[in-house]
């Protein structure tokens, strides 16, 4: 019998990167359809804009006039700006409207986030097989929030990239690199990731994956590397941004001024809405396959500990969802493999129905999110209005600036915009 013909280049690409193309296409669709950003993303959006358009002229940067409640790091914005700069340069040469630069920046961030998710997915396939890998991708695809947020320049998403790296190192058995990735996430991007670092670190210590001395050396060396001079230069004073965030949110508990939820909100509202069918499957997976318990338990404890903070948002715990999806994928894979057996076939049909319901829920959630940026849509409509007058002035109030308007949305003359508080930009 003749050997089968070698796969075509297109077939090889689909085999190796098909799942990535699926997730990337969905994330890109969300970014294209909802290109604007909200107040939570404002610092990184403005920082990326200023790095790309003002370069070394720090005195023109937005944060010096509008610093926000707490300082944030420029490191993530700097990295994304450098990666996006070739595309932005071409857009500026061809006078492409600046709002498309925002889209390019968001797509670049999505590439970074999904690349780290790919590394995690590859380790899932190596550890649990291709069926679990397939269900991991399918569950991620029919969930709305992870892919919708993956292109949004939030500190939580920049931290998520390093948490995905940590998960992949953890599955690979490279435990010190796991710690290092989590330390970068906590020290540079989101101080609350120290809770995840603590639960995973303790679990690794108890399993004797490394000694306490090795862990301490790893932590100290990584922290010293992470606390760089970039932010002190950009903010023009000596500071460690995430320490100030930690002090504001956790020690002073000032974050509760932005609203509070009950202690069980993450488990009774946020996770069910974000994980959908994967939420019950995650619990089933931990019962059916005990191999996942040492991984899921520290992540679940992270959510439990975070529940003590009164101010709660889904993005605070979004880093837990990929690991919970692995457990759900194990349950889905078990049901799929036994689908022809009595009793299991009913569970299989029930699971498929739940997949469709989850997909429908995500579609409804997307349509709601599409209408959630009135400021951006209003400014776009204004730019499309009659421009025969040599100069026009528009006042942008706080609500508009919080619901879609950023400096990426500014247009060429004749418009002159005045932001709440008297700030002008062209």
């Amino acid at each position: 019998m003749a050997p089968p013909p070698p796969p075509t280049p297109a077939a090889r690409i689909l085999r190796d990167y098909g799942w990535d193309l699926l997730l990337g296409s969905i994330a890109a669709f969300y970014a294209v359809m909802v290109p604007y950003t909200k107040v939570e993303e404002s610092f990184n959006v403005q920082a990326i804009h200023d790095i790309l358009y003002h370069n070394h002229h720090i005195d023109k940067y937005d944060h010096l006039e509008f610093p926000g409640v707490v300082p944030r790091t420029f490191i993530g914005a700097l990295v994304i700006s450098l990666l996006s700069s070739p595309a932005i340069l071409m857009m500026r040469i061809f006078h492409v409207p600046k709002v498309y630069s925002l889209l390019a920046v968001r797509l670049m961030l999505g590439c970074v986030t999904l690349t780290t998710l790919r590394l995690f997915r590859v380790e899932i396939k190596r550890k649990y097989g291709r069926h679990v890998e397939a269900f991991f991708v399918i569950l991620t695809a029919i969930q709305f929030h992870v892919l919708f947020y993956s292109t949004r320049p939030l500190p939580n998403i920049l931290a998520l990239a390093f948490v995905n790296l940590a998960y992949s190192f953890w599955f690979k058995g490279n435990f010190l690199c796991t710690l290092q990735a989590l330390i970068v996430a906590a020290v540079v991007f989101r101080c609350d990731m120290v809770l995840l670092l603590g639960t995973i670190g303790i679990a690794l210590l108890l399993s004797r994956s490394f000694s306490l001395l090795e862990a301490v050396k790893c932590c100290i060396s990584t922290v010293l590397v992470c606390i760089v001079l970039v932010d002190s230069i950009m903010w023009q004073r000596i500071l460690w941004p995430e320490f100030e965030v930690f002090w504001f949110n956790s020690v002073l508990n000032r974050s509760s001024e932005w609203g509070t939820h009950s202690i069980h909100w993450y488990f009774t509202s946020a996770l069910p809405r974000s994980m959908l069918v994967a939420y019950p499957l995650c619990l089933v997976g931990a019962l059916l396959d005990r191999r996942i318990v040492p991984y899921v338990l520290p992540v679940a404890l992270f959510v439990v500990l975070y529940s003590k903070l009164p101010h709660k948002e889904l993005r605070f715990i979004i880093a837990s969802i990929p690991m919970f999806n692995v457990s759900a994928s194990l349950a889905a894979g078990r049901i799929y493999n036994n689908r022809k057996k009595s009793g299991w076939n009913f569970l299989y049909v029930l699971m498929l129905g739940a997949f469709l319901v989850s997909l429908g829920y995500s579609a409804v959630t997307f349509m709601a999110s599409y209408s959630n940026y009135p400021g951006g849509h209003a400014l776009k409509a204004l730019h499309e209005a009659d421009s025969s007058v040599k100069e026009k002035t528009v006042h942008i109030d706080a609500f508009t600036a919080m619901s879609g308007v950023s400096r990426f949305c500014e247009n060429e003359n004749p418009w002159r915009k005045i932001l709440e508080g008297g700030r002008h930009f062209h």
Side-chain angles (χ1 to χ4, degrees):
M1 181 181 295
T8 63
R12 284 198 299 269
I13 291 174
L14 285 177
R15 181 191 63 195
D16 296 336
Y17 301 102
W19 292 127
D20 305 306
L21 292 173
L22 172 64
L23 296 181
S25 299
I26 297 172
F29 171 78
Y30 289 151
V32 170
M33 295 302 295
V34 190
Y36 304 111
T37 56
K38 298 196 79 171
V39 62
E40 297 89 349
E41 305 155 68
S42 60
F43 173 78
N44 279 315
V45 168
Q46 303 295 85
I48 292 171
H49 172 276
D50 292 344
I51 292 170
L52 289 171
Y53 288 92
H54 297 316
N55 306 126
H56 63 281
H57 300 290
I58 299 177
D59 58 303
K60 296 181 180 180
Y61 279 36
D62 179 89
H63 70 286
L64 296 179
E65 186 175 358
F66 295 90
V69 179
V70 289
R72 288 292 185 183
T73 180
F74 272 85
I75 295 175
L78 181 60
V79 171
I80 299 302
S81 298
L82 290 174
L83 294 174
S84 308
S85 57
I88 305 303
L89 178 61
M90 295 300 297
M91 290 182 178
R92 296 182 71 177
I93 291 174
F94 291 101
H95 302 287
V96 176
K98 196 186 285 187
V99 69
Y100 291 100
S101 299
L102 174 60
L103 182 60
V105 165
R106 289 189 52 195
L107 291 176
M108 179 55 65
L109 174 59
C111 288
V112 172
T113 308
L114 294 182
T115 297
T116 61
L117 191 66
R118 168 186 164 78
L119 297 176
F120 184 36
R121 175 182 62 78
V122 168
E123 292 305 314
I124 293 170
K125 179 180 180 181
R126 184 188 62 80
K127 195 173 185 69
Y128 297 113
R130 60 185 180 89
H131 286 161
V132 176
E133 175 202 25
F135 278 112
F136 175 80
V137 174
I138 292 169
L139 289 172
T140 304
I142 64 175
Q143 294 166 351
F144 172 72
H145 292 91
V146 170
L147 294 181
F148 182 77
Y149 276 110
S150 67
T151 64
R152 299 202 159 270
L154 291 159
N156 313 81
I157 299 306
L158 296 168
L160 174 63
F162 282 91
V163 173
N164 286 336
L165 275 179
Y167 289 158
S168 65
F169 287 136
W170 195 6
F171 274 23
K172 191 182 294 186
N174 196 336
F175 303 118
L176 288 178
C177 286
T178 303
L179 278 188
Q180 289 173 333
L182 290 172
I183 291 167
V184 173
V187 172
V188 177
F189 298 111
R190 282 296 302 194
C191 61
D192 42 32
M193 289 297 104
V194 72
L195 297 176
L196 186 61
L197 170 65
T199 55
I200 292 178
I202 291 172
L204 293 176
L205 281 173
L206 292 177
S207 64
R208 298 183 178 180
S209 300
F210 45 67
S211 68
L212 180 60
L213 181 60
E214 288 177 320
V216 170
K217 288 181 179 179
C218 176
C219 290
I220 293 175
S221 60
T222 307
V223 167
L224 291 176
V225 170
C226 289
I227 305 177
V228 295
L229 296 177
V230 171
D231 291 312
S232 295
I233 293 172
M234 301 302 289
W235 286 96
Q236 299 184 352
R237 63 186 176 92
I238 297 175
L239 84 164
W240 174 9
E242 281 309 300
F243 179 78
E244 295 195 18
V245 174
F246 169 77
W247 189 265
F248 182 89
N249 286 343
S250 302
V251 177
L252 301 180
N253 195 24
R254 293 283 302 280
S255 62
S256 59
E257 297 174 8
W258 279 261
T260 62
H261 289 286
S262 59
I263 196 170
H264 55 76
W265 184 80
Y266 284 134
F267 291 99
T268 57
S269 179
L271 286 174
R273 285 186 292 110
S274 57
M275 294 182 62
L276 304 174
V277 64
Y279 191 55
L281 284 176
C282 172
L283 303 176
V284 175
L287 293 174
L288 291 178
D289 196 328
R290 297 300 177 90
R291 293 177 299 170
I292 195 62
V293 173
Y295 299 100
V296 168
L297 186 58
V299 178
L301 287 175
F302 156 71
V303 180
V304 170
L305 292 174
Y306 215 140
S307 297
K308 297 288 289 182
L309 193 68
H311 179 61
K312 297 177 175 66
E313 296 184 41
L314 169 61
R315 61 190 175 95
F316 295 166
I317 61 161
I318 198 168
S320 66
I321 294 177
M323 185 60 76
F324 290 152
N325 279 346
V326 178
S327 181
S329 302
L330 286 167
R334 181 71 67 89
I335 294 172
Y336 175 80
N337 291 333
N338 293 281
R339 66 190 183 280
K340 295 182 179 180
K341 297 180 181 178
S342 177
W344 289 89
N345 51 6
F346 173 74
L347 292 176
Y348 179 62
V349 173
L350 190 66
M351 183 179 73
L352 292 181
F355 277 28
L356 293 176
V357 171
S358 297
L359 183 61
Y361 180 88
S362 293
V364 173
T365 306
F366 163 73
M367 288 187 286
S369 297
Y370 177 80
S371 304
N372 206 22
Y373 299 82
H377 291 295
L379 190 59
K380 178 184 177 182
L382 198 64
H383 286 152
E384 293 173 349
D386 178 37
S387 299
S388 58
V389 180
K390 289 187 177 180
E391 180 174 282
K392 296 181 179 180
T393 301
V394 58
H395 176 81
I396 298 175
D397 63 4
F399 174 75
T400 306
M402 292 169 62
S403 59
V405 171
S406 71
R407 296 201 62 173
F408 278 107
C409 299
E410 62 190 7
N411 209 345
E412 301 295 335
N413 290 336
W415 290 107
R416 184 164 64 96
K417 307 169 183 72
I418 305 176
L419 199 63
E420 188 91 350
R423 177 176 131 208
H424 297 64
F425 62 90
H426 296 271

